[in-house]
Amino acid sequence: MQPLLLDFLKVTEFAAIAALPWVGSGDKIAADDAATTAMRNGLNEMSMNGRIVIGEGEIDEAPMLYIGENLGSGKGPEVDIAVDPIEGTTPTVNGQSNAITVIAAAPKGKLLHAPDMYMKKIAVGSKAKGKIDIEAPLAANLKAVAEANDKNVQELNVLIQDRPRHQEFIDITRSEGAKVHLFNDGDVIYATATCLENLDIDMFLGIGGAPEGVLGAVALKCLGGEMQGQLMPRSDEEIRRCIDMGLDDPRRALSHSDLVNTEDCIFAATGITDNLFLKGVRTSEGHHVTHSILINGKEKQLRYVESQYPEIQVV
């Protein structure tokens, strides 16, 4: 996977630049179309036999990068790809923070094939790896993470998305004495934040999209953290979709290895707007300037990358 590292980075950079004209526009469809088109074009130029396993749809319907779509030259390594051309479409078109474009990749068969449905997720950094259990009571997980991070529960910082479905999580976390930090958008960003020691985030918890869960799981795998998940199908149709994708027991707890079963993985993300650890795309003296993170799971190496492109190169 390592030879493809910079190629994947360029794809996220191009997609972020393509989305820039739509920041603050209010037009979600146009923004997503621009980023998706740029991402698809970039992926098709890569020397690989790629396949989308986490995408924006489950059938061939443009402009989505749909599950099962084949990308790349058709020559080279077989690669499973998870994408979100814009993670945070609403903040993008509202001119708000917390929008990125993101790709995760691994050898064929190593990423969970997850349908677009809700997934319960819990994520921690490297110190608490092996200490969490998504099926255990939240209070027990808080105590285990506190002990692993050499803290009192009252010193824990827990990220939870500000949604009505999370009120019970919020109430329990606060009743145990831990601090809850609410966020509006950016599931992948905040899951990854648990592995960045300078941010002092101890746990990420919530119910959100399964595709974002797999993307976050790759980032945490690359950084030595841990994510566990549990799909939450809400209908017989969603159960059938899980079974069709090879998940015989759709509601079972998913370990980190169920989500991404290799260290040979790549995670790349580029800021569209400013967020917790990335700057958004900027223009300066006729150039676009991008800010990205690039992580290789084998090396466990996090790189912050700033790139500059003449405005005329990428539309």
Side-chain angles (χ1 to χ4, degrees):
M1 295 296 298
Q2 191 164 351
L4 299 175
L5 200 62
L6 289 178
D7 291 328
F8 280 118
L9 173 64
K10 289 178 182 178
V11 172
T12 63
E13 289 173 340
F14 286 8
I17 292 170
L20 181 62
W22 304 102
V23 173
S25 69
D27 193 337
K28 290 184 179 181
I29 294 175
D32 196 55
D33 186 23
T36 300
T37 299
M39 185 169 278
R40 176 182 280 118
N41 290 342
L43 290 169
N44 273 327
E45 291 178 1
M46 291 177 59
S47 297
M48 65 175 179
N49 185 355
R51 179 183 58 157
I52 299 292
V53 297
I54 296 291
E56 295 198 295
E58 294 176 37
I59 57 175
D60 184 357
E61 182 181 347
M64 293 178 176
L65 278 160
Y66 61 90
I67 295 173
E69 182 172 357
N70 295 314
L71 295 163
S73 66
K75 299 178 181 179
E78 291 186 302
V79 180
D80 280 356
I81 304 167
V83 300
D84 198 342
I86 300 182
E87 211 248 330
T89 309
T90 297
T92 296
V93 301
N94 286 340
Q96 298 169 327
S97 59
N98 290 335
I100 61 173
T101 182
V102 58
I103 290 178
K108 182 179 178 180
K110 297 300 184 180
L111 297 182
L112 178 74
H113 295 198
D116 189 1
M117 64 175 59
Y118 275 138
M119 175 188 280
K120 181 181 177 182
K121 298 167 249 187
I122 182 171
V124 293
S126 59
K127 292 180 181 178
K129 181 179 179 180
K131 305 299 183 182
I132 55 172
D133 180 356
I134 198 167
E135 295 185 294
L138 176 53
N141 278 310
L142 290 168
K143 291 174 184 176
V145 172
E147 183 177 350
N149 289 348
D150 196 24
K151 289 184 174 184
N152 297 318
V153 172
Q154 292 75 15
E155 296 174 296
L156 290 181
N157 294 303
V158 182
L159 289 170
I160 303 176
Q161 191 176 25
D162 189 7
R163 295 290 187 271
R165 63 180 178 270
H166 293 147
Q167 193 58 51
E168 183 178 1
F169 296 155
I170 294 167
D171 291 343
I172 293 172
T173 302
R174 286 176 171 162
S175 70
E176 293 296 319
K179 299 177 180 66
V180 173
H181 300 267
L182 298 175
F183 66 93
N184 286 320
D185 299 281
D187 206 320
V188 177
I189 295 168
Y190 288 98
T192 305
T194 59
C195 289
L196 304 180
E197 290 191 9
N198 62 306
L199 298 178
D200 193 27
I201 300 299
D202 300 289
M203 181 188 292
F204 163 90
L205 177 70
I207 297 169
E212 289 83 1
V214 176
L215 285 160
V218 174
L220 268 75
K221 178 74 78 169
C222 289
L223 292 170
E226 182 180 6
M227 177 182 283
Q228 295 177 14
Q230 189 170 30
L231 291 171
M232 304 182 70
R234 294 175 293 174
S235 66
D236 290 342
E237 172 62 19
E238 289 194 343
I239 291 173
R240 183 194 63 77
R241 284 159 58 198
C242 290
I243 293 171
D244 287 347
M245 289 187 172
L247 297 165
D248 294 334
D249 182 2
R251 291 188 174 91
R252 75 176 177 87
L254 299 167
S255 69
H256 204 169
S257 293
D258 290 321
L259 299 171
V260 50
N261 190 24
T262 182
E263 301 288 333
D264 187 16
C265 50
I266 290 170
F267 180 88
T270 299
I272 299 172
T273 61
D274 291 350
N275 57 69
L276 199 60
F277 49 83
L278 289 175
K279 299 174 185 176
V281 182
R282 286 162 168 75
T283 55
S284 175
E285 298 180 354
H287 291 83
H288 293 301
V289 180
T290 61
H291 191 220
S292 309
I293 58 170
L294 182 62
I295 323 171
N296 179 345
K298 277 192 169 181
E299 295 180 342
K300 296 289 187 290
Q301 178 68 52
L302 169 65
R303 296 177 174 90
Y304 287 94
V305 182
E306 186 171 282
S307 300
Q308 182 173 289
Y309 293 95
E311 286 188 62
I312 194 171
Q313 283 192 5
V314 184
V315 180

